[in-house]
Each structure stands twice: as structure tokens, then as C-alpha cells.
């Protein structure tokens, strides 16, 4: 009886709350999804940084501060598809987090517990009968249980230490990645604002030229319009309004839209040349506005994609915090009590095995 | 107002002033050329600021990678004694074999 309680006391001391595997799996799955989605983001991020660096190079070459007949920094080899160093570090960050998570998973799987049991069995078998050593009969079961319980405790301690040290680092990394997502989007906003402004500028300049062209001519003869020889100003106006509608909400445009085409009663007679010029002008304008619209569509798609990507990061962040809290929280008392009961039963069984083996040999 | 908000506010105001000139049908070609250059300068300044920010973050990430790798390296997934115990088992088994042989020879 004394033996039983001594052994049980030892095991209860080393036995402890289990590794929170549910929270760990939830965090790991969440990170894996985020990691997969990161491939696409990193490609775009690389492109954005490349564009900014090109802008920096262009600016430096224009400044003409000093003569330097060689590049300021090592040029990227576009043929070898080298990745920007900032992107390379982001990739490495995700890789090391992945490795860290694999380590936590390995600790929680506890494969070493079985290995310890097998090794202990092997050692006891080897010791039995060596140089006069006679081990208490059937002691293997008890030794294996104690060994495995000690190994479980060791694994849990390793897990706890790894999580305590690693989680704050990873949370910092997530914050930095989030910052880069925002900066990536902001940079694209800057590029697109510039492009969009220049497109609208060109469009308005084109409209101004068109208005000045039409002002040189007098109103078209209705008969010619009815004969479908020429479209007529109302139809051209309608077309112009339709094309410019996409930019009609821009600052300083919305107060002026629609841009009216007006003829001059003492102007020239409308002819096929001016008709063709007007048609071509509107066609060019339409192509320009298509670029504008495409940029808007692209930016909205980017905003949606990055919003979802950030949500995935946020979720991964939350699951890691949940894991840390789960690890620190005291285990459900019922689960702990059940574990102690299981241990008590095992120990009792092993001691009974030993006693019956001793009795049989006597 | 935070620094980021101030930068954004300044940028938005500047962009509007530039667009006021560029979208005008009365501004001269010269005025528009100056406004276009201002637009490029404004965009470039902020883009370079973004790049500096990214590079700063990269430096921090690099040191965090080293720290996390140290944590990974310090973890012992396998029991450090298992290998030793296995070697010991091997030695003891060998020793048992040798003692048996010796006993046979002695008898």
C-alpha cells in the first residue's frame, strides 16, 4: 500500500494539464491558410516595391547631384527573377513561423513518449540477469508508465517554454506583416491617383480641343441629319456625355459636367472631314476613359483581396492568442481528476502484476 | 492627429490643388506642366517614404527571425536521454553475451 501511494504521489506531482491540442490545431490551420494566401500577396508586393525602386532610380538620375557612371546599388537581375530583399525576408519570416509551428505540433504529438516506453522496456530486459542483477518480476509495466509520464511532463514543459518565448515574437512579426500590407495598398493608391489624374487631365484637354473644333462650325442642316449623312450635334453630345460619365464624379469635373458642344452660327459648314475628326476624337477619348475605369476596377479588387488577406492574418493572430491563453489557463478540473484516476488504476494494476509474479515464483 | 493622418491630410490637400489646375480648361500649358511635375514629385516623395518604412520593417523582421530560430533550436522534441539509453541497452546486451560466453568457458 505504501509503495502504491509513493508511486502515485510521484506521478501526480509530474502529471499536469495536457497541451491544448484543439487551440494548437486551430492556430496551425489558420496559419497554413494565411501562408498559402501569402504567395499571391508577395508577388504583388514585389512588383510594387520594384516600381517604387524604379521611381527612386529615375529621381536620382534626374537630380544630377554628382557624376556617377555606375549604379548606386547592385541592380536586380531581371533575367534570373531575383526577389526584392524586403520580400525575401517576408518569405523567410513565414517559413520560420511555419517551422516553429511544426515544432509545437511535434511536441504535442508526443511521439517520444512511445519511444521512451520502448527504450525503457529494452533497457529493463537487458539489465535483467546481468551480472547477478535480478529485477523484481514484471516491473517493466510500472517503469514504462513512470517513464512515459515523465516524458509527457517534459514535452509539456518544452511546449510551454517554446510558446512563452516564441508567441510574443510571432505576434510582433504579424504586426509588421500587417503594416506591409497597408503600405503595399497605400503605394498602389499613390500610383493610381497619379495615373488617374493624368488620364482625366488628358481627357479634359481632349474635350477642350473638341469643343474648340465644333465652335468653328455652324449648326448642321436638319435635312442632312435626317438623310443620315451626318450624326448631328445632339447625337455627338449624347455620346460625349456617355463617355465622360465615368469621370463625372471627379473633383472639379462634377461642377462642369456635362461638357457642351456648341456651334457658331457664323462658322464654317459642317463637312465629312470634321465629322471624321469628331468621331476619331471621341473614339480616342473612349479608349482613354476605359484605362481610367480599368484602374478603378483593379484598385477595388485589390482593396477587397487585401481586406480578406488582412482578415486571415487577424484570425491567425487571434488563434495564437487563444492558444497562449489556453496554455496558461488551468485545465478543467474534471479532466485532471480523470487523468489522475487513470494513473492510479495503471499503477495499481502494475503493482498487482508484480505481486502476482513474485507470489508465483515463491 | 497622428503623423500618418497628417501625411494623408497634406497629401489629399496637395492632390486637390494639383487637380484644380490640371482639370481646368482655362489653365495654360505652362501651368499644367508645372502641376504635372508637382504631382510626380508629390507621389515620388510619398512612395520613397513608404519604401523607407518597408526597409525599416525588414530590418526588424530580420532580427525577429534570428530570435525565433533560436527558440526553435532550443526545443528538444526527442528525449535527450533516449539515445543514451539505447546505447546503454546495446552495451549491456553485449556485456551479457560476453558474461555468458565466459561462464560457458569456465564450466
Amino acid at each position: 500500500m505504501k509503495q502504491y501511494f509513493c508511486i502515485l504521489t510521484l506521478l501526480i506531482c509530474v502529471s499536469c494539464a495536457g497541451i491544448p491540442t484543439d487551440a494548437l490545431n486551430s492556430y496551425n490551420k489558420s496559419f497554413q491558410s494565411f501562408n498559402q494566401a501569402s504567395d499571391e500577396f508577395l508577388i504583388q508586393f514585389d512588383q510594387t516595391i520594384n516600381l517604387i525602386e524604379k521611381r527612386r532610380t529615375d529621381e536620382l538620375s534626374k537630380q544630377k547631384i554628382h557624376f556617377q557612371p555606375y549604379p548606386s546599388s547592385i541592380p536586380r537581375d531581371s533575367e534570373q527573377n531575383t526577389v526584392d530583399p524586403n520580400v525575401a525576408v517576408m518569405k523567410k519570416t513565414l517559413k520560420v513561423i511555419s517551422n516553429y509551428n511544426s515544432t509545437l505540433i511535434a511536441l504535442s504529438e508526443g511521439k517520444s513518449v512511445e519511444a521512451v516506453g520502448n527504450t525503457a522496456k529494452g533497457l529493463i530486459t537487458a539489465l535483467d540477469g546481468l551480472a547477478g542483477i535480478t529485477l523484481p518480476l514484471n516491473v517493466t509495466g510500472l517503469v514504462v508508465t513512470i517513464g512515459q509520464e515523465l516524458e509527457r511532463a517534459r514535452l509539456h514543459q518544452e511546449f510551454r517554454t517554446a510558446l512563452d518565448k516564441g508567441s510574443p515574437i510571432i505576434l510582433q512579426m504579424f504586426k509588421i506583416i500587417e503594416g506591409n500590407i497597408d503600405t503595399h495598398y497605400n503605394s498602389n493608391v499613390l500610383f493610381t491617383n497619379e495615373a488617374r489624374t493624368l488620364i482625366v487631365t488628358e481627357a479634359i484637354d481632349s474635350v477642350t480641343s473638341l469643343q474648340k473644333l465644333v465652335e468653328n462650325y455652324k449648326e448642321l442642316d436638319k435635312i442632312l441629319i435626317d438623310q443620315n449623312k451626318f450624326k448631328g450635334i445632339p447625337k455627338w453630345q449624347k455620346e460625349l456625355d456617355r463617355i465622360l460619365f465615368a469621370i463625372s464624379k471627379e473633383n472639379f469635373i462634377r461642377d462642369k459636367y456635362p461638357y457642351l458642344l456648341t456651334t457658331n452660327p457664323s462658322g464654317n459648314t459642317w463637312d465629312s472631314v470634321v465629322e471624321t475628326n469628331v468621331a476619331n476624337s471621341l473614339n480616342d477619348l473612349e479608349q482613354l476613359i476605359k484605362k481610367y475605369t480599368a484602374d478603378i476596377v483593379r484598385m477595388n479588387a485589390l482593396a477587397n483581396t487585401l481586406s480578406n488577406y488582412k482578415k486571415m492574418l487577424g484570425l491567425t493572430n487571434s488563434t495564437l492568442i487563444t492558444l497562449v491563453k489556453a496554455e496558461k489557463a488551468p485545465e478543467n478540473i474534471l479532466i485532471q481528476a480523470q487523468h489522475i484516476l487513470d494513473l492510479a488504476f495503471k499503477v495499481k494494476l502494475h503493482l498487482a502484476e508484480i505481486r502476482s509474479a513474485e507470489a508465483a515464483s515463491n | 492627429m497622428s503623423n500618418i493622418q497628417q501625411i494623408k491630410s497634406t497629401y489629399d490637400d496637395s492632390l486637390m490643388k494639383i487637380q484644380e489646375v490640371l482639370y481646368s480648361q482655362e489653365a495654360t500649358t505652362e501651368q499644367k506642366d508645372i502641376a504635372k511635375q508637382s504631382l510626380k514629385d508629390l507621389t515620388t516623395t510619398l512612395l520613397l517614404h513608404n519604401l523607407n518604412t518597408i526597409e525599416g520593417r525588414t530590418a526588424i523582421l530580420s532580427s525577429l527571425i534570428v530570435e525565433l530560430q533560436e527558440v526553435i533550436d532550443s526545443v528538444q522534441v526527442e528525449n535527450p536521454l533516449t539515445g543514451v539509453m539505447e546505447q546503454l541497452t546495446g552495451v549491456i546486451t553485449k556485456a551479457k553475451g560476453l558474461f555468458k560466453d565466459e561462464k560457458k568457458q569456465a564450466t
Side-chain angles (χ1 to χ4, degrees):
Chain A
M1 206 54 164
K2 217 173 162 183
Q3 281 172 332
Y4 171 68
F5 280 113
C6 284
I7 294 163
L8 192 58
T9 307
L10 164 69
L11 288 177
I12 288 168
C13 286
V14 301
S15 165
C16 48
I19 290 172
T21 47
D22 286 349
L24 174 62
N25 289 333
S26 180
Y27 159 65
N28 190 43
K29 265 191 194 140
S30 189
F31 178 77
Q32 281 175 345
S33 300
F34 173 73
N35 198 13
Q36 266 180 332
S38 296
D39 288 338
E40 183 55 41
F41 168 72
L42 290 173
I43 290 169
Q44 292 176 7
F45 191 47
D46 185 48
Q47 287 167 352
T48 300
I49 294 175
N50 197 21
L51 287 170
I52 302 174
E53 281 176 348
K54 192 175 178 302
R55 187 67 78 103
R56 175 159 67 181
T57 310
D58 290 345
E59 275 307 297
L60 283 173
S61 68
K62 276 181 191 165
Q63 276 169 17
K64 295 174 189 171
I65 294 165
H66 60 266
F67 174 65
Q68 186 176 289
Y70 42 79
S72 299
S73 58
I74 299 168
R76 280 175 61 179
D77 187 349
S78 57
E79 282 175 26
Q80 283 187 6
N81 289 322
T82 53
V83 161
D84 180 82
N86 298 294
V87 176
V89 167
M90 286 269 287
K91 280 188 174 174
K92 210 173 169 191
T93 302
L94 295 170
K95 183 91 181 78
V96 82
I97 295 174
S98 187
N99 290 346
Y100 171 84
N101 294 347
S102 297
T103 303
L104 291 184
I105 295 286
L107 287 170
S108 79
E109 281 172 350
K111 285 182 180 152
S112 61
V113 172
E114 196 184 323
V116 161
N118 291 338
T119 307
K121 265 186 214 165
L123 185 57
I124 288 164
T125 309
L127 280 169
D128 192 27
L130 173 71
I133 295 172
T134 309
L135 291 172
L137 295 164
N138 252 353
V139 79
T140 311
L142 183 64
V143 170
V144 165
T145 296
I146 293 171
Q148 286 180 331
E149 209 53 36
L150 286 170
E151 177 58 8
R152 272 192 198 96
R154 186 196 71 82
L155 284 175
H156 195 179
Q157 187 53 49
E158 290 281 342
F159 182 91
R160 190 178 292 128
T161 307
L163 192 63
D164 282 348
K165 286 184 181 169
S167 60
I169 298 171
I170 293 176
L171 289 171
Q172 267 189 281
M173 286 171 159
F174 285 165
K175 211 169 169 65
I176 290 172
I177 292 171
E178 189 187 18
N180 276 347
I181 297 169
D182 288 335
T183 305
H184 165 65
Y185 182 71
N186 178 259
S187 301
N188 276 276
V189 166
L190 292 170
F191 277 122
T192 308
N193 281 350
E194 185 187 71
R196 186 181 119 232
T197 302
L198 292 174
I199 288 172
V200 173
T201 303
E202 197 180 332
I204 298 305
D205 289 347
S206 176
V207 167
T208 307
S209 300
L210 182 63
Q211 285 173 321
K212 284 181 177 160
L213 172 68
V214 170
E215 271 166 17
N216 288 324
Y217 293 84
K218 58 184 176 210
E219 189 68 55
L220 265 156
D221 210 327
K222 204 176 175 297
I223 298 166
L224 294 171
I225 296 169
D226 290 343
Q227 285 174 347
N228 288 324
K229 243 194 140 196
F230 299 117
K231 251 186 174 166
I233 296 300
K235 276 193 179 159
W236 286 129
Q237 182 68 61
K238 208 173 170 184
E239 200 149 319
L240 179 63
D241 294 347
R242 178 189 62 78
I243 292 167
L244 291 182
F245 181 73
I247 64 168
S248 62
K249 291 188 177 57
E250 285 276 348
N251 297 326
F252 313 109
I253 306 290
R254 54 177 166 253
D255 298 333
K256 295 232 173 128
Y257 177 85
Y259 289 79
L260 298 177
L261 298 171
T262 48
T263 50
N264 180 355
S266 44
N268 302 317
T269 307
W270 195 275
D271 59 22
S272 56
V273 171
V274 66
E275 181 85 356
T276 306
N277 286 341
V278 169
N280 288 341
S281 185
L282 286 173
N283 190 44
D284 291 344
L285 189 60
E286 187 155 29
Q287 299 315 310
L288 197 60
I289 300 302
K290 274 182 183 169
K291 278 188 207 171
Y292 172 93
T293 310
D295 276 349
I296 306 272
V297 167
R298 184 182 58 80
M299 280 306 293
N300 278 305
L302 182 64
N304 279 335
T305 306
L306 292 178
S307 171
N308 287 333
Y309 184 59
K310 267 183 86 167
K311 273 186 198 149
M312 289 176 86
L313 178 61
L315 183 64
T316 307
N317 199 69
S318 303
T319 52
L320 178 57
I321 292 170
T322 301
L323 173 60
V324 171
K325 282 185 182 163
E327 171 53 39
K328 286 185 163 61
E331 192 181 9
N332 184 321
I333 196 90
L334 291 172
I335 296 170
Q336 223 173 359
Q338 184 60 49
H339 184 64
I340 290 168
L341 278 172
D342 289 343
L343 271 176
F345 180 75
K346 264 189 188 164
V347 169
K348 203 166 179 176
L349 201 65
H350 292 318
L351 288 174
E353 281 168 0
I354 293 167
R355 276 189 221 107
S356 69
E358 279 176 343
S361 77
N362 293 334
Chain B
M1 206 191 261
S2 73
N3 194 37
I4 294 169
Q5 285 171 324
Q6 272 185 324
I7 291 171
K8 188 183 182 314
S9 179
T10 306
Y11 169 76
D12 288 343
D13 289 344
S14 304
L15 183 62
M16 268 195 76
K17 287 191 172 76
I18 290 167
Q19 286 173 340
E20 192 172 4
V21 173
L22 290 176
Y23 296 171
S24 161
Q25 291 185 295
E26 285 75 37
T28 64
T29 308
E30 201 181 33
Q31 285 170 329
K32 288 202 177 191
D33 285 344
I34 293 169
K36 281 177 190 171
Q37 188 56 50
S38 299
L39 175 64
K40 192 164 188 193
D41 291 343
L42 177 69
T43 308
T44 303
T45 303
L46 288 169
L47 285 171
L48 294 184
H49 170 74
N50 281 355
L51 187 57
N52 283 341
T53 306
I54 290 167
E55 286 168 349
R57 288 190 191 123
T58 299
I60 297 170
L61 273 179
S62 296
S63 80
L64 290 174
I65 287 169
V66 170
E67 279 184 48
L68 190 59
Q69 191 58 52
E70 280 172 4
V71 172
I72 295 168
D73 293 343
S74 71
V75 172
Q76 287 183 314
V77 176
E78 300 301 327
N79 189 301
L81 295 175
T82 309
V84 171
M85 279 164 64
E86 280 170 359
Q87 283 178 5
L88 187 60
T89 306
V91 166
I92 291 166
T93 310
K94 202 176 175 186
K96 263 169 82 172
L98 288 170
F99 288 144
K100 235 185 199 168
D101 290 343
E102 219 181 289
K103 198 174 172 181
K104 258 189 192 159
Q105 281 177 6
T107 53

